[in-house]
Each structure stands twice: as structure tokens, then as C-alpha cells.
Amino acid sequence: MKLVWSPETASKAYLDTVKTCELSNESSVAEMISAMAAGWNARLIVETWTKGGVMATSIGLAIASHHTGGKHVCIVADEASRMEYIEAMEKAGKSPPQVIVGEPEEAAEGLEGGIDFMVVDCRQSEFARIFKVAKLGERGAVLICKNAFSKLASDFRWNSVLDAKSRIVRSVFLPVGNGLDIAHVGAKSENSSGTRKGAGRWIKHINRETGEEFVIRK
């Protein structure tokens, strides 16, 4: 199994987010992220949130989880942030998701099930650490860094935070809002040794006389 795109579900989440967040200055980001989470039918959606941050993305993710029937989890730094987040969600007319207080990487390690969709705020110090410990879903995952124009994200590279078993299908940087850095990680079809099940080993051979190069599988 792998993540399969559903344009119908994405469209519904997008329109619902437009209606809810139309007055927000981050609405374009919220609508896009909501549509992506819903379109990929994410079952476990995780975000990190910083005290004082804009709520539009969180609202969009709540809408997406409603359409997919999935679980929405928010990780915050402290109790004050948790209270502010819950109050803001309730004010927006949305039921707060599960809110976990603590360091992002510690919280991610404690989550049950694989993460299908994750949104991390690049304005948080050491924001990239969570990707190194996050347990991604067997179907693959979509990972997003928002506020990617932040100075803290200037040296960020997906290959440096994902382990060798995480196959990046594609990645893209979008100049939407304050920047979105997005990576699509493929479904886990590899065994513990890091090679595909049932696949052979590819060997490159160069004919020293002709200079021809051959690639064979054993």
C-alpha cells in the first residue's frame, strides 16, 4: 500500500478551509496544506506549533483530518502554549486535536502508528530534529517545513535529516506565504538490509579494451 491521491477529498478540504480562513493572512498556506493532507488521505497528521503563531494552518489540518477520518496531533513546547492553542482552536469553532507538550523529537517518538503527514515550523530552534526520529507510515509520508524563508532553515536539506531507508520520491520549494519546503517520502518497500525485497544486486562493469560500460543484475 502507498499514499494515493484523491482530488475529490482534496477539493472538499480546500473549499472548507477557504470558507473558514478567508480573513487570515496565512490562508493561502492553510488552504494548500489542508488540501494536500486530505488529498493524500492522511491517517495521522502531526504538526508543531509555536506560541503566538498563526492558527490558519492548524485549522486547515483539523478540517483535513475531518475529511479523512484521521487523527490530528499538535506538539507544543509548554503548558502555556497548549492552553493558547486550545483556546484559539475553540474560538475558531474547531474541536482541538490531541495536544502533546514537550520537545518535538521526544513527542514524536511516543506517537503510536506511522505519520502520514507532518508540518513543522522552521521558526523553531532545532526544528529539523523531529524528522530524524519521526516514525513515518508504511504507505509513505508528506513532510512540510513552513516559514522556510526563516534564517534557521537556510542550510536545511531533506537528505540530511531522513534516514537511508526513507526514499524521497520528490521534493519542492514553494514561495507560498513565508515559504514551504515539501518532501514526499515513498512507501516502505525495503527490508532491514536496505534493499528491495526480491530485488537483485546491480553491478557495474567496464570493458577495459572498448571502454563500454555494462550494468548487470545478479
Side-chain angles (χ1 to χ4, degrees):
M1 291 289 291
K2 64 179 181 179
L3 291 176
V4 178
W5 179 257
S6 171
E8 181 180 357
T9 308
S11 178
K12 290 178 179 178
Y14 178 88
L15 292 175
D16 285 350
T17 306
V18 168
K19 294 175 184 177
T20 306
C21 302
E22 59 184 353
L23 299 179
S24 169
N25 60 9
E26 198 190 3
S27 60
S28 61
V29 172
E31 294 150 13
M32 177 178 292
I33 290 178
S34 177
M36 290 178 65
W40 287 114
N41 194 31
R43 310 303 297 172
L44 178 55
I45 299 171
V46 177
E47 64 167 320
T48 63
W49 185 80
T50 306
K51 193 174 186 295
V54 178
M55 294 300 300
T57 298
S58 299
I59 295 169
L61 292 176
I63 291 172
S65 66
H66 172 74
H67 282 285
T68 66
K71 183 178 182 180
H72 177 199
V73 178
C74 179
I75 300 173
V76 298
D78 50 42
E79 186 62 25
S81 298
R82 187 184 77 86
M83 295 301 294
E84 182 177 317
Y85 180 89
I86 291 175
E87 183 179 345
M89 289 293 282
E90 291 176 340
K91 186 176 181 180
K94 299 297 176 185
S95 298
Q98 178 184 355
V99 183
I100 301 176
V101 177
E103 292 295 326
E105 62 271 26
E106 294 176 2
E109 285 185 322
L111 290 173
E112 295 183 4
I115 298 170
D116 297 314
F117 200 89
M118 176 181 284
V119 182
V120 174
D121 192 341
C122 290
R123 293 177 299 184
Q124 295 173 303
S125 62
E126 303 294 334
F127 72 90
R129 289 187 302 174
I130 190 171
F131 294 118
K132 295 182 178 181
V133 298
K135 300 172 185 176
L136 303 185
E138 295 291 329
R139 302 183 304 149
V142 175
L143 310 176
I144 299 178
C145 289
K146 70 174 186 176
N147 296 312
F149 284 131
S150 165
K151 291 182 179 179
L152 293 174
S154 59
D155 296 324
F156 175 77
R157 298 292 183 275
W158 287 111
N159 286 328
S160 67
V161 297
L162 296 176
D163 62 37
K165 295 180 182 179
S166 297
R167 178 174 58 88
I168 300 177
V169 177
R170 65 180 64 87
S171 62
V172 63
F173 188 98
L174 300 177
V176 179
N178 291 317
L180 294 176
D181 199 345
I182 305 170
H184 177 197
V185 178
K188 293 184 177 179
S189 57
E190 301 178 342
N191 58 25
S192 59
S193 65
T195 57
R196 291 179 180 276
K197 293 180 179 179
R201 187 162 56 98
W202 290 96
I203 299 175
K204 183 169 69 174
H205 172 71
I206 299 178
N207 187 316
R208 293 179 181 275
E209 294 182 1
T210 65
E212 292 180 281
E213 180 178 301
F214 302 91
V215 180
I216 59 177
R217 187 155 124 187
K218 297 185 68 178

